Amino acid sequence: DPDSGENGRLLYSLVNHQSNEFDIDENTGQVFTVSVAGKAGTFYLEVQATDQGTSRLTARTTVNVTVDPSSSNNIVVVVLNEMINIVERNIVEVKRVLEDKLAWNVYIVDVYSDESERKARSSTDATCVKIIAFDEANQEVPAEDVKRKLREQKSNIEIELEKIFSRPVTTSIEEAPADSASPELIATIVLSVLLACSLIGFLVYVAFTIKRKRKQEQQYLIKQRAEIAEGIDNPWASDKNGSVKSLEKLEHINN
């Protein structure tokens, strides 16, 4: 958004999104996977951008995300000593920390617990986060390289996670389940590539739409002021029905 200040700050959200396969970073507009294991097909996500001006303006677009069956031997499982429902609520920040410390793009393939889902959400302080890392060329980073980097950055990652969860958090690396190495449904949406084009076009559309709406509002205000000024300067000016606009001035002249 070319405007300055709060008028130029955009917040992004998913509209009418009831499932938990995807989420969006409200500040950057980046869409990412939360859990797509066992799912395939095309998902249609409606993304909304809203500026933070006094009279908030919005624009929407649809992003098509295709999840294909794909095999990968580079899935790494990071275990956090935190309940799954709390991790899910903060998954955007967890992803940000991993990307910052690993210096790679990180995609969340799945978030799960070893215990039954219902019991784990309230009792187990252990949540598994399946990730795949991609380098700047959007190539998968070998799992062993990711594990090595996770070990090197373990203390730094835990310091940042403590800020998110407001208590000490420990991380460990778990071997990926056997089915992770077999054909598994992972998002081949390397979103930094597919959404780069979509979001660039979307941002241009948002900026153009918001700018056009503001221009229309300004033109309307200018027109109103001009009509008011005309009525004051010309007491004989008439409206659309042919009646005199300024009766007070007319009476003053007659007197």
PDB file of all heavy atoms in Angstrom, residues 5 11 35 44 50 63 82 92 114 144 168 170 193 196 232 235 240 243 245 247:
ATOM      1  N   GLY A   5       2.089   5.519   7.214  1.00  0.00           N
ATOM      2  CA  GLY A   5       1.527   5.295   8.538  1.00  0.00           C
ATOM      3  C   GLY A   5       0.602   4.096   8.582  1.00  0.00           C
ATOM      4  O   GLY A   5       0.775   3.119   7.859  1.00  0.00           O
ATOM      5  N   LEU A  11      -2.926  -5.866   6.975  1.00  0.00           N
ATOM      6  CA  LEU A  11      -3.020  -7.106   7.740  1.00  0.00           C
ATOM      7  C   LEU A  11      -3.774  -8.126   6.895  1.00  0.00           C
ATOM      8  O   LEU A  11      -4.783  -7.799   6.266  1.00  0.00           O
ATOM      9  CB  LEU A  11      -3.748  -6.881   9.071  1.00  0.00           C
ATOM     10  CG  LEU A  11      -3.019  -6.024  10.112  1.00  0.00           C
ATOM     11  CD1 LEU A  11      -3.837  -5.947  11.395  1.00  0.00           C
ATOM     12  CD2 LEU A  11      -1.627  -6.578  10.406  1.00  0.00           C
ATOM     13  N   SER A  35      -1.249 -28.733   8.633  1.00  0.00           N
ATOM     14  CA  SER A  35      -1.321 -30.191   8.589  1.00  0.00           C
ATOM     15  C   SER A  35      -2.031 -30.618   7.314  1.00  0.00           C
ATOM     16  O   SER A  35      -3.225 -30.381   7.155  1.00  0.00           O
ATOM     17  CB  SER A  35      -2.063 -30.733   9.812  1.00  0.00           C
ATOM     18  OG  SER A  35      -2.181 -32.135   9.738  1.00  0.00           O
ATOM     19  N   TYR A  44      -8.921 -24.007  -2.168  1.00  0.00           N
ATOM     20  CA  TYR A  44      -9.159 -22.629  -2.582  1.00  0.00           C
ATOM     21  C   TYR A  44      -9.231 -21.756  -1.332  1.00  0.00           C
ATOM     22  O   TYR A  44     -10.164 -21.864  -0.538  1.00  0.00           O
ATOM     23  CB  TYR A  44     -10.453 -22.528  -3.389  1.00  0.00           C
ATOM     24  CG  TYR A  44     -10.437 -23.397  -4.632  1.00  0.00           C
ATOM     25  CD1 TYR A  44     -10.964 -24.687  -4.597  1.00  0.00           C
ATOM     26  CD2 TYR A  44      -9.861 -22.941  -5.814  1.00  0.00           C
ATOM     27  CE1 TYR A  44     -10.930 -25.500  -5.723  1.00  0.00           C
ATOM     28  CE2 TYR A  44      -9.823 -23.741  -6.944  1.00  0.00           C
ATOM     29  CZ  TYR A  44     -10.355 -25.020  -6.888  1.00  0.00           C
ATOM     30  OH  TYR A  44     -10.309 -25.818  -8.006  1.00  0.00           O
ATOM     31  N   THR A  50      -6.411  -5.931   4.688  1.00  0.00           N
ATOM     32  CA  THR A  50      -7.111  -4.787   5.270  1.00  0.00           C
ATOM     33  C   THR A  50      -6.100  -3.755   5.721  1.00  0.00           C
ATOM     34  O   THR A  50      -5.130  -4.094   6.410  1.00  0.00           O
ATOM     35  CB  THR A  50      -7.950  -5.229   6.490  1.00  0.00           C
ATOM     36  OG1 THR A  50      -8.819  -6.300   6.110  1.00  0.00           O
ATOM     37  CG2 THR A  50      -8.773  -4.064   7.032  1.00  0.00           C
ATOM     38  N   VAL A  63      -6.510 -17.731  -3.598  1.00  0.00           N
ATOM     39  CA  VAL A  63      -5.242 -18.414  -3.847  1.00  0.00           C
ATOM     40  C   VAL A  63      -5.528 -19.906  -3.958  1.00  0.00           C
ATOM     41  O   VAL A  63      -6.120 -20.501  -3.053  1.00  0.00           O
ATOM     42  CB  VAL A  63      -4.234 -18.151  -2.707  1.00  0.00           C
ATOM     43  CG1 VAL A  63      -2.954 -18.945  -2.939  1.00  0.00           C
ATOM     44  CG2 VAL A  63      -3.923 -16.665  -2.610  1.00  0.00           C
ATOM     45  N   GLU A  82       5.717 -29.190  24.902  1.00  0.00           N
ATOM     46  CA  GLU A  82       4.573 -28.297  25.060  1.00  0.00           C
ATOM     47  C   GLU A  82       3.343 -28.999  24.514  1.00  0.00           C
ATOM     48  O   GLU A  82       3.437 -29.832  23.612  1.00  0.00           O
ATOM     49  CB  GLU A  82       4.825 -26.991  24.304  1.00  0.00           C
ATOM     50  CG  GLU A  82       3.819 -25.890  24.563  1.00  0.00           C
ATOM     51  CD  GLU A  82       3.769 -25.493  26.024  1.00  0.00           C
ATOM     52  OE1 GLU A  82       4.626 -24.719  26.480  1.00  0.00           O
ATOM     53  OE2 GLU A  82       2.852 -25.989  26.718  1.00  0.00           O
ATOM     54  N   VAL A  92       2.735 -20.158  13.890  1.00  0.00           N
ATOM     55  CA  VAL A  92       3.338 -19.120  13.036  1.00  0.00           C
ATOM     56  C   VAL A  92       4.660 -18.657  13.628  1.00  0.00           C
ATOM     57  O   VAL A  92       5.669 -18.528  12.922  1.00  0.00           O
ATOM     58  CB  VAL A  92       2.379 -17.923  12.874  1.00  0.00           C
ATOM     59  CG1 VAL A  92       3.065 -16.798  12.108  1.00  0.00           C
ATOM     60  CG2 VAL A  92       1.112 -18.345  12.155  1.00  0.00           C
ATOM     61  N   ASP A 114       2.177 -38.073  20.012  1.00  0.00           N
ATOM     62  CA  ASP A 114       2.285 -39.528  19.988  1.00  0.00           C
ATOM     63  C   ASP A 114       1.068 -40.198  20.612  1.00  0.00           C
ATOM     64  O   ASP A 114       0.710 -41.313  20.263  1.00  0.00           O
ATOM     65  CB  ASP A 114       3.550 -39.986  20.732  1.00  0.00           C
ATOM     66  CG  ASP A 114       4.800 -39.657  19.929  1.00  0.00           C
ATOM     67  OD1 ASP A 114       4.687 -39.557  18.696  1.00  0.00           O
ATOM     68  OD2 ASP A 114       5.870 -39.490  20.536  1.00  0.00           O
ATOM     69  N   GLU A 144      19.837 -34.694   7.093  1.00  0.00           N
ATOM     70  CA  GLU A 144      20.997 -34.697   7.982  1.00  0.00           C
ATOM     71  C   GLU A 144      21.545 -33.288   8.189  1.00  0.00           C
ATOM     72  O   GLU A 144      22.016 -32.950   9.278  1.00  0.00           O
ATOM     73  CB  GLU A 144      22.087 -35.623   7.433  1.00  0.00           C
ATOM     74  CG  GLU A 144      21.724 -37.102   7.492  1.00  0.00           C
ATOM     75  CD  GLU A 144      21.305 -37.529   8.896  1.00  0.00           C
ATOM     76  OE1 GLU A 144      22.017 -37.171   9.863  1.00  0.00           O
ATOM     77  OE2 GLU A 144      20.266 -38.203   9.026  1.00  0.00           O
ATOM     78  N   PRO A 168      10.236 -21.996  29.933  1.00  0.00           N
ATOM     79  CA  PRO A 168      11.311 -22.737  29.265  1.00  0.00           C
ATOM     80  C   PRO A 168      10.761 -23.844  28.365  1.00  0.00           C
ATOM     81  O   PRO A 168       9.842 -24.571  28.736  1.00  0.00           O
ATOM     82  CB  PRO A 168      12.115 -23.318  30.437  1.00  0.00           C
ATOM     83  CG  PRO A 168      11.838 -22.386  31.571  1.00  0.00           C
ATOM     84  CD  PRO A 168      10.417 -21.958  31.401  1.00  0.00           C
ATOM     85  N   THR A 170      12.102 -27.032  25.788  1.00  0.00           N
ATOM     86  CA  THR A 170      13.219 -27.838  25.295  1.00  0.00           C
ATOM     87  C   THR A 170      12.837 -28.457  23.960  1.00  0.00           C
ATOM     88  O   THR A 170      11.668 -28.760  23.706  1.00  0.00           O
ATOM     89  CB  THR A 170      13.587 -28.955  26.284  1.00  0.00           C
ATOM     90  OG1 THR A 170      12.455 -29.811  26.472  1.00  0.00           O
ATOM     91  CG2 THR A 170      14.013 -28.378  27.616  1.00  0.00           C
ATOM     92  N   VAL A 193       7.501 -19.932  -3.930  1.00  0.00           N
ATOM     93  CA  VAL A 193       7.503 -19.809  -5.386  1.00  0.00           C
ATOM     94  C   VAL A 193       6.101 -19.536  -5.899  1.00  0.00           C
ATOM     95  O   VAL A 193       5.846 -18.547  -6.570  1.00  0.00           O
ATOM     96  CB  VAL A 193       8.048 -21.095  -6.039  1.00  0.00           C
ATOM     97  CG1 VAL A 193       7.937 -21.007  -7.545  1.00  0.00           C
ATOM     98  CG2 VAL A 193       9.488 -21.311  -5.643  1.00  0.00           C
ATOM     99  N   ALA A 196       4.596 -16.375  -4.430  1.00  0.00           N
ATOM    100  CA  ALA A 196       5.322 -15.149  -4.751  1.00  0.00           C
ATOM    101  C   ALA A 196       4.596 -14.409  -5.863  1.00  0.00           C
ATOM    102  O   ALA A 196       4.318 -13.221  -5.771  1.00  0.00           O
ATOM    103  CB  ALA A 196       6.749 -15.477  -5.168  1.00  0.00           C
ATOM    104  N   ILE A 232     -23.033  29.515  -1.791  1.00  0.00           N
ATOM    105  CA  ILE A 232     -22.739  30.688  -0.964  1.00  0.00           C
ATOM    106  C   ILE A 232     -22.417  31.900  -1.828  1.00  0.00           C
ATOM    107  O   ILE A 232     -22.889  33.013  -1.589  1.00  0.00           O
ATOM    108  CB  ILE A 232     -21.563  30.387  -0.017  1.00  0.00           C
ATOM    109  CG1 ILE A 232     -21.991  29.316   0.999  1.00  0.00           C
ATOM    110  CG2 ILE A 232     -21.098  31.646   0.703  1.00  0.00           C
ATOM    111  CD1 ILE A 232     -20.865  28.843   1.883  1.00  0.00           C
ATOM    112  N   PRO A 235     -26.197  33.572  -4.723  1.00  0.00           N
ATOM    113  CA  PRO A 235     -27.487  33.374  -4.045  1.00  0.00           C
ATOM    114  C   PRO A 235     -28.605  33.023  -4.998  1.00  0.00           C
ATOM    115  O   PRO A 235     -29.650  32.554  -4.590  1.00  0.00           O
ATOM    116  CB  PRO A 235     -27.730  34.723  -3.370  1.00  0.00           C
ATOM    117  CG  PRO A 235     -26.960  35.696  -4.191  1.00  0.00           C
ATOM    118  CD  PRO A 235     -25.741  34.971  -4.650  1.00  0.00           C
ATOM    119  N   LYS A 240     -31.358  21.173  -8.660  1.00  0.00           N
ATOM    120  CA  LYS A 240     -31.854  20.401  -9.797  1.00  0.00           C
ATOM    121  C   LYS A 240     -33.332  20.662 -10.066  1.00  0.00           C
ATOM    122  O   LYS A 240     -33.812  20.516 -11.184  1.00  0.00           O
ATOM    123  CB  LYS A 240     -31.619  18.903  -9.536  1.00  0.00           C
ATOM    124  CG  LYS A 240     -30.155  18.527  -9.502  1.00  0.00           C
ATOM    125  CD  LYS A 240     -29.996  17.045  -9.242  1.00  0.00           C
ATOM    126  CE  LYS A 240     -28.531  16.656  -9.195  1.00  0.00           C
ATOM    127  NZ  LYS A 240     -28.350  15.221  -8.918  1.00  0.00           N
ATOM    128  N   SER A 243     -35.296  25.411  -7.757  1.00  0.00           N
ATOM    129  CA  SER A 243     -35.576  26.294  -6.632  1.00  0.00           C
ATOM    130  C   SER A 243     -34.309  26.992  -6.189  1.00  0.00           C
ATOM    131  O   SER A 243     -33.208  26.498  -6.391  1.00  0.00           O
ATOM    132  CB  SER A 243     -36.161  25.489  -5.465  1.00  0.00           C
ATOM    133  OG  SER A 243     -35.248  24.505  -5.066  1.00  0.00           O
ATOM    134  N   LYS A 245     -31.299  28.138  -4.008  1.00  0.00           N
ATOM    135  CA  LYS A 245     -30.572  27.425  -2.964  1.00  0.00           C
ATOM    136  C   LYS A 245     -30.515  28.229  -1.679  1.00  0.00           C
ATOM    137  O   LYS A 245     -30.652  27.697  -0.594  1.00  0.00           O
ATOM    138  CB  LYS A 245     -29.140  27.118  -3.429  1.00  0.00           C
ATOM    139  CG  LYS A 245     -29.046  26.002  -4.448  1.00  0.00           C
ATOM    140  CD  LYS A 245     -27.589  25.721  -4.765  1.00  0.00           C
ATOM    141  CE  LYS A 245     -27.455  24.559  -5.725  1.00  0.00           C
ATOM    142  NZ  LYS A 245     -26.051  24.277  -6.052  1.00  0.00           N
ATOM    143  N   LEU A 247     -32.187  30.835   0.379  1.00  0.00           N
ATOM    144  CA  LEU A 247     -33.342  31.678   0.657  1.00  0.00           C
ATOM    145  C   LEU A 247     -32.970  32.809   1.602  1.00  0.00           C
ATOM    146  O   LEU A 247     -33.520  33.896   1.522  1.00  0.00           O
ATOM    147  CB  LEU A 247     -34.458  30.829   1.276  1.00  0.00           C
ATOM    148  CG  LEU A 247     -35.058  29.762   0.333  1.00  0.00           C
ATOM    149  CD1 LEU A 247     -36.117  28.960   1.083  1.00  0.00           C
ATOM    150  CD2 LEU A 247     -35.663  30.421  -0.900  1.00  0.00           C
TER     151      LEU A 247
END
